[in-house]
Amino acid sequence: GARIAADVVASVDLEVTGNPSPAFRVFVANAAIRGVIAGPSPKALINGKVVHVGDSADSMLGVTLAGIDASRQTLRFRDSTGATVSRRY
């Protein structure tokens, strides 16, 4: 798994750029991803909510769904600082 903070390890591997906050990393690691639809209007079912690329995935953290890479089966999330966290689905 991925180290999220000094004493927290996620059960999923995360790819990060920039300096994402521990809360951002925890959100991505714990997100319940129940489905992904690629194509001209890509979207994912995240924590029971349909989220299109570019839309908010968590308004409290300022996290958006930045992209879906169907070939790698990954979702990329971005926060307001520009940091990104990606994980497989």
Side-chain angles (χ1 to χ4, degrees):
R3 183 162 300 283
I4 294 175
D7 57 346
V8 180
V9 176
S11 60
V12 297
D13 287 327
L14 304 175
E15 295 178 28
V16 303
T17 64
N19 189 21
S21 70
F24 179 17
R25 293 175 190 235
V26 167
F27 168 78
V28 174
N30 291 338
I33 300 166
R34 299 290 180 237
V36 175
I37 300 171
S41 179
K43 54 192 150 290
L45 183 59
I46 303 168
N47 297 334
K49 179 175 116 177
V50 175
V51 181
H52 291 82
V53 170
D55 287 351
S56 174
D58 187 296
S59 58
M60 296 294 291
L61 293 174
V63 173
T64 60
L65 177 60
I68 297 172
D69 185 337
S71 65
R72 294 182 57 223
Q73 292 188 319
T74 58
L75 298 180
R76 187 176 70 256
F77 299 87
R78 179 176 292 118
D79 71 6
S80 59
T81 71
T84 66
V85 179
S86 300
R87 66 166 277 193
R88 291 182 58 84
Y89 56 81

